[in-house]
Amino acid sequence: DAGVTQSPTHLIKTRGQHVTLRCSPISGHKSVSWYQQVLGQGPQFIFQYYEKEERGRGNFPDRFSARQFPNYSSELNVNALLLGDSALYLCASSTGLAGGQNEQFFGPGTRLTVL
Amino acid sequence: RKEVEQDPGPFNVPEGATVAFNCTYSNSASQSFFWYRQDCRKEPKLLMSVYSSGNEDGRFTAQLNRASQYISLLIRDSKLSDSATYLCVAMDSSYKLIFGSGTRLLVRP
């Protein structure tokens, strides 16, 4: 079985541009979460989607948006890129079901560099 | 104050040593707890979930103390391949993961 997949693996953009990152969860998982990880820090929560509905949003500006598709894949969009948006963007997949530990499994990430 | 706090290390230990990492969390409503392992420039990988009763997986033992809001990870008989950053994680009631900044472990020959 394939794990969580993300594309692209690396991306270089300039300030002010827009970027779209993509994620496909583990087969059977209905929840996708997005995290941003800057060097030397733990990942920071951006969004969570379950059954195509936003279930949570972290403390990120409105330049960040996301959506989940009927096949449970997801996109993260970032507008008007800033230098500080340079980071590893991680997608995590989980069943999303209430109860239980609800472990989240991460994809390999997209490394975004903003110049 | 950070929601999940860890000693950043690095912990530099010889092969075969036992090493313990500790972590505290501030949100008493946190539902679930985990340890993830992250290698340099890679994604975090789930090492183990942490239960109140304590749980063991081979050389790894995790403990949770809800009264003290404290989580621990014990690694016995350290291997060179254990060198990584260990992330302590709390899950809140909305299934959001709150990560610590990580503890770096270096196991030397």
Side-chain angles (χ1 to χ4, degrees), chain B residues 7-26:
Chain B
D7 181 342
F11 285 62
N12 191 325
V13 303
E15 267 188 295
T18 295
V19 61
F21 303 139
N22 302 316
C23 163
T24 57
Y25 62 95
S26 61

Side-chain angles (χ1 to χ4, degrees), chain B residues 3 25-33 66 90-93 98:
Chain B
E3 289 189 65
Y25 62 95
S26 61
N27 184 356
S28 59
S30 296
Q31 302 268 314
S32 305
F33 303 90
R66 283 191 183 270
M91 179 183 282
D92 71 11
S93 55
I98 311 297

Side-chain angles (χ1 to χ4, degrees), chain A residues 29-102:
Chain A
H29 283 191
K30 297 182 177 181
S31 182
V32 168
S33 300
W34 288 95
Y35 295 82
Q36 180 197 66
Q37 187 176 26
V38 299
L39 203 60
Q41 298 293 320
Q44 297 290 311
F45 173 77
I46 310 175
F47 284 107
Q48 185 177 92
Y49 278 79
Y50 175 67
E51 289 278 20
K52 303 177 287 294
E53 296 289 327
E54 183 182 300
R55 192 155 79 173
R57 183 186 182 115
N59 189 23
F60 280 80
D62 291 345
R63 299 184 295 108
F64 289 76
S65 64
R67 55 181 175 167
Q68 187 177 32
F69 299 100
N71 67 352
Y72 303 111
S73 67
S74 178
E75 282 183 355
L76 175 70
N77 295 283
V78 187
N79 291 325
L81 286 167
L82 303 174
L83 295 179
D85 295 332
S86 295
L88 179 66
Y89 288 84
L90 294 159
C91 172
S93 164
S94 65
T95 60
L97 297 173
Q101 286 289 99
N102 239 294

Side-chain angles (χ1 to χ4, degrees), chain A residues 35 37 40-45 48 55 88 90 96-109 111, chain B residues 2 31-34 36 38 41-46 49-51 87 91 94-102:
Chain A
Y35 295 82
Q37 187 176 26
Q41 298 293 320
Q44 297 290 311
F45 173 77
Q48 185 177 92
R55 192 155 79 173
L88 179 66
L90 294 159
L97 297 173
Q101 286 289 99
N102 239 294
E103 291 93 343
Q104 295 186 19
F105 301 93
F106 285 85
R111 191 164 297 279
Chain B
K2 289 184 179 178
Q31 302 268 314
S32 305
F33 303 90
F34 309 92
Y36 280 78
Q38 187 170 29
R41 301 184 71 81
K42 298 284 191 180
E43 75 274 21
K45 291 191 188 297
L46 180 63
S49 301
V50 187
Y51 303 105
L87 296 161
M91 179 183 282
S94 61
Y95 306 108
K96 177 175 75 176
L97 296 183
I98 311 297
F99 285 81
S101 295

